[in-house]
Amino acid sequence: MTDANGAANFTQQFAVNGQRGVAAVFAMDGADTTDPELGGATFSNFNVDAIQEVQSSSGVIPAEVGHGAAGFTNVLTKSGANQVHGSAFEFLRNAAFDARNFFDHENALDPRRIPPFVRNEFGATNGGPLVIPGVYDGRSKTFYFGEYQGFRQVLGTTQVFPVPTLAERQGVDTATFPGDTLTVPVNPAIASVLARYPLPNESQGPFGARTYAASSKVATSTDQFSVRIDHRISDQAQLMGRFSLNQVRGPTTNPDQTAIDPTFGVKFLDHQRSATVKYGRTISPRLSFTVALGYIRSTPIFPTINHTQPAIGFGDGLFEGFNSADGSIFGSYGNVYQLKYDAVYARGSHSFKWGAEIRANRDATISAPIQTERIRLAAEPLTRRC
């Protein structure tokens, strides 16, 4: 099952046999593609038309995997053939097929009362012999296979939070104690901030007269590309190389704040890279081996947009925080270098396997909170009139 607690870096994690999501291992063509910093599967949106086979095991992990305690999933990509083949697809979905929830209201941005939702997935594949006219003819020897997949999504999420009423922006509170009027002098330094909050629009909501409900757009865009080359050196030896990249932009991680001001958002970016080179040789009908070199790079980072407005928080939680991201930036850069050697010897109904693996992990974590001034409001002097 999916592990919702492990999605901190937006690479999907899966809990297998009760283990945590970080204990599951993922690979592509035998090369590790597990996120090196936070776990989970990178390249999870790989074009399905470019997949030849999916190998999966759980429980007792095979010795050749080398690490992990929950499950192992290996995606084998397609290779080219002597004939050129290709495919293309597009998938579209939008809010016209969705139902609204209780807090969805008609407004100038969403006249249909349904938060905007547009999802578009598209891609193409092509494979065949590597032929360069007048230079090289790779028929029956060298093959290529390339694929691309794009993803675009704009999801409107309904946000409900407390904001100051029109009277409270002027220092008059009639909502905290019904029937009473509380008057508090408004500091000029905070008056301009209070004015930037949207006005309440749902008096019967969970926060009473202070309830504000609106749709906040969350955009996600990814572009994933891969190319694979297979070369038949001889009847006993084959060479394969593959390079893949995945550019992830979004989603915004705090849509409640972007409902106040779009510049208060925290973006998500991840530029993933994966590459592998594999050499296989059959020494005799009984003995064969494979040597593979793999590389995976993942860069989940959460940059903020507004670096000038200090964060403002309310100790009693009366109102939604203002620019709670506070200009901070968090992220990590993970690199894994992998060298594997596997050999198989078969004799009769018995087979023997042995091998070795060296995996070097190089991580760097960024945690840079921006030091800004925090404004604290005092409710003194307070005059109460009944």
Side-chain angles (χ1 to χ4, degrees), residues 324-349:
S324 59
D326 203 19
S328 300
I329 181 171
F330 301 93
S332 63
Y333 296 86
N335 298 272
V336 174
Y337 305 86
Q338 183 182 27
L339 177 63
K340 292 185 65 177
Y341 171 82
D342 295 291
V344 178
Y345 178 78
R347 186 177 182 87
S349 59

Side-chain angles (χ1 to χ4, degrees), residues 256-272:
D256 55 336
Q257 291 288 288
T258 57
I260 300 174
D261 189 323
T263 68
F264 292 169
V266 179
K267 296 181 178 181
F268 172 70
L269 303 174
D270 194 357
H271 299 167
Q272 303 170 357

Side-chain angles (χ1 to χ4, degrees), residues 292-311:
L293 178 64
Y295 171 72
I296 176 69
R297 176 175 173 83
S298 183
T299 63
I301 189 169
F302 301 85
T304 53
I305 303 173
N306 192 315
H307 296 165
T308 59
Q309 168 63 50

Side-chain angles (χ1 to χ4, degrees), residues 220-232:
T220 304
S221 174
T222 66
D223 291 286
Q224 190 268 319
F225 167 79
S226 179
V227 61
R228 168 173 170 161
I229 300 294
D230 291 85
H231 179 64
R232 184 179 180 184

